[in-house]
Amino acid sequence: MLRATKLAANARPFRYLCYPVIGLGFLLLDQPPPSSAAAVLGWCLLWPLAVDLGQRQASAKTILNVHLAEAAFTSGLFAWASLPPSLLFAVGIILVASNALQGGIRQALLAVLCTMAGLAAGDLASPTASVFAVPAAAAFSSLLVLAYCALLGHWAHRQALGMAGQRAQMRIMNARLQQYLPHTLTDRLNEAGQPRLERRWLVVAFADLAGFTPLVERLAVEELTPVLDSYLKTVADVTLRCGGTLSKVLGDGVMLVFGEAGAEERPKLVADALKCCRLLDVELTQLADRWRAQGMPESVRLKIGVASGYCSLGDWGGGGRLEYTVIGHPVNLASRLEGQASAGEVLVCERTGLLAEVPLTPVMERPVKGLGPVRFQRVESLADCDAN
């Protein structure tokens, strides 16, 4: 069954549009007695409002039962008011087709029974000639149209059920896939509508857990999974709070990017990155304490490398496989600095150090594989990084 809100929404167009048209046509084309005209017009105007207000909190089953009661009472009232047979049969067909659309063929068959019972009761109470006194050919034609509309409504109902199921599956799949992607990627795809590349000044940080390898070797996979999950969740939460993006997960290592959203001054981006490093150190220390309380004695600390500069970011790849990522010299430099750092250290490239507002050691130079001599500094104390 469709959700109750969907059922109620599907019926509104018929009630608010078709009923007034039926009432107006009855008044203009048939010139009924005042009592019949008042009854039909009052029903056509008041019933949509009454049922809309009454079923706001109703269940789907209740709404379907209201549809059946509506078919019986409407057909009975209109038969008592002596609507022309052609108009009366049209109303019956619409009521049955609407029920088929809401609940399928079973609901349509019940609606046929309710409509016929209503017509019979209204016909008996009517002071005028019987509404069933119509030529056999006209009655047969009406029944054919009724059957066709009921089947069409049933088909539409099945299609709606299938589409609703597909949409639910897509929402579940999208929610799951978003966990594998940087949170900024969804916004970029919505804005661009197609893959795009751009060059932007960014701060890139690589962080890795020193001392994690012995922990991996000692723990079974079912013990390792919650440990790694809690670590990565902490990294993702802290990075998001500091305005950055968790761009990649590389085992126990992560790549963090600051400045993807743009419109930030460079010193502000560097301050955000160093603030993130400080908070990660604090959070990981608390996390390691909880791990030790659970019987994991290995000591783990972060080692971090930070670099800044112009990078190219966007969608890269081909052959049916794309990856959204950041490439450029700052990415390679941050990765190499992380490799040079010791446990608990944050190393920043010389360019980043010029923009940092925290105490740093004097500039050091060291040959790094693939990059040659690299000039960098070490953050003297993470506690000096802004924690606000």
Side-chain angles (χ1 to χ4, degrees):
M1 294 251 178
L2 295 173
R3 293 183 305 170
T5 52
K6 185 67 175 177
L7 287 172
N10 287 342
R12 285 193 186 100
F14 166 72
R15 292 196 178 105
Y16 282 103
L17 295 177
C18 292
Y19 273 136
V21 170
I22 292 170
L24 184 62
F26 180 48
L27 294 177
L28 295 179
L29 301 177
D30 199 53
Q31 297 181 351
S35 59
S36 299
V40 171
L41 189 60
W43 175 263
C44 291
L45 296 179
L46 297 179
W47 171 247
L49 295 173
V51 73
D52 204 15
L53 293 174
Q55 65 181 14
R56 286 184 177 179
Q57 304 298 326
S59 64
K61 183 177 181 180
T62 300
I63 292 175
L64 290 177
N65 289 335
V66 169
H67 279 294
L68 295 177
E70 178 181 12
F73 194 87
T74 302
S75 57
L77 176 65
F78 288 178
W80 171 84
S82 300
L83 262 72
S86 57
L87 183 57
L88 193 58
F89 280 125
V91 171
I93 289 170
I94 293 173
L95 289 169
V96 171
S98 299
N99 275 273
L101 179 62
Q102 303 300 306
I105 195 66
R106 178 179 180 275
Q107 182 77 6
L109 294 176
L110 292 174
V112 169
L113 296 177
C114 291
T115 301
M116 295 303 294
L119 289 174
D123 186 64
L124 289 175
S126 176
T128 60
S130 173
V131 297
F132 295 102
V134 294
F140 181 70
S141 300
S142 299
L143 291 176
L144 286 179
V145 174
L146 176 64
Y148 174 78
C149 290
L151 292 175
L152 187 62
H154 173 70
W155 176 83
H157 173 72
R158 300 294 297 178
Q159 292 292 105
L161 285 178
M163 292 179 63
Q166 291 176 1
R167 285 195 296 268
Q169 290 180 353
M170 290 181 63
R171 284 194 296 268
I172 294 173
M173 184 176 294
N174 287 338
R176 184 171 183 182
L177 288 176
Q178 286 178 4
Q179 300 179 52
Y180 292 87
L181 303 172
H183 70 274
T184 54
L185 180 56
T186 302
D187 296 336
R188 288 171 57 84
L189 290 176
N190 289 335
E191 293 173 3
Q194 58 183 357
R196 66 176 184 179
L197 304 174
E198 59 180 293
R199 193 160 176 80
R200 185 176 294 174
W201 198 93
L202 302 173
V203 178
V204 181
F206 273 81
D208 189 60
L209 277 178
F212 191 73
T213 301
L215 189 64
V216 172
E217 294 174 348
R218 193 175 70 85
L219 295 179
V221 64
E222 58 271 13
E223 298 174 304
L224 178 63
T225 298
V227 171
L228 192 56
D229 285 349
S230 60
Y231 159 65
L232 293 176
K233 182 180 185 304
T234 298
V235 172
D237 292 344
V238 170
T239 304
L240 186 61
R241 292 203 321 257
C242 295
T245 301
L246 175 54
S247 182
K248 280 187 177 182
V249 176
L250 308 166
D252 60 308
V254 291
M255 173 181 165
L256 312 178
V257 179
F258 297 82
E260 278 192 83
E264 293 283 0
E265 297 292 335
R266 295 179 183 180
K268 174 66 165 55
L269 295 178
V270 172
D272 288 343
L274 294 179
K275 172 184 173 182
C276 182
C277 294
R278 176 190 181 279
L279 292 179
L280 284 176
D281 185 69
V282 172
E283 296 280 347
L284 185 60
T285 300
Q286 298 173 355
L287 198 57
D289 291 339
R290 292 199 294 271
W291 291 345
R292 280 192 293 271
Q294 297 170 5
M296 294 174 250
E298 285 82 0
S299 176
V300 291
R301 292 290 303 276
L302 277 177
K303 53 177 187 171
I304 304 175
V306 182
S308 57
Y310 279 99
C311 302
S312 298
L313 69 158
D315 303 286
W316 308 86
R321 175 70 168 86
L322 291 175
E323 183 173 358
Y324 172 78
T325 190
V326 178
I327 63 173
H329 178 70
V331 177
N332 298 327
L333 181 55
S335 177
R336 297 296 191 274
L337 290 176
E338 178 269 311
Q340 296 290 322
S342 301
E345 283 188 343
V346 177
L347 302 183
V348 300
C349 70
E350 185 179 23
R351 177 183 299 173
T352 304
L354 294 174
L355 298 172
E357 298 179 355
V358 298
L360 302 170
T361 61
V363 175
M364 298 174 279
E365 184 174 308
R366 190 178 300 171
V368 174
K369 182 179 179 180
L371 297 179
V374 171
R375 295 170 62 84
F376 62 92
Q377 296 170 275
R378 185 178 71 250
V379 177
E380 289 189 342
S381 174
L382 286 175
D384 295 318
C385 299
D386 181 19
N388 298 317

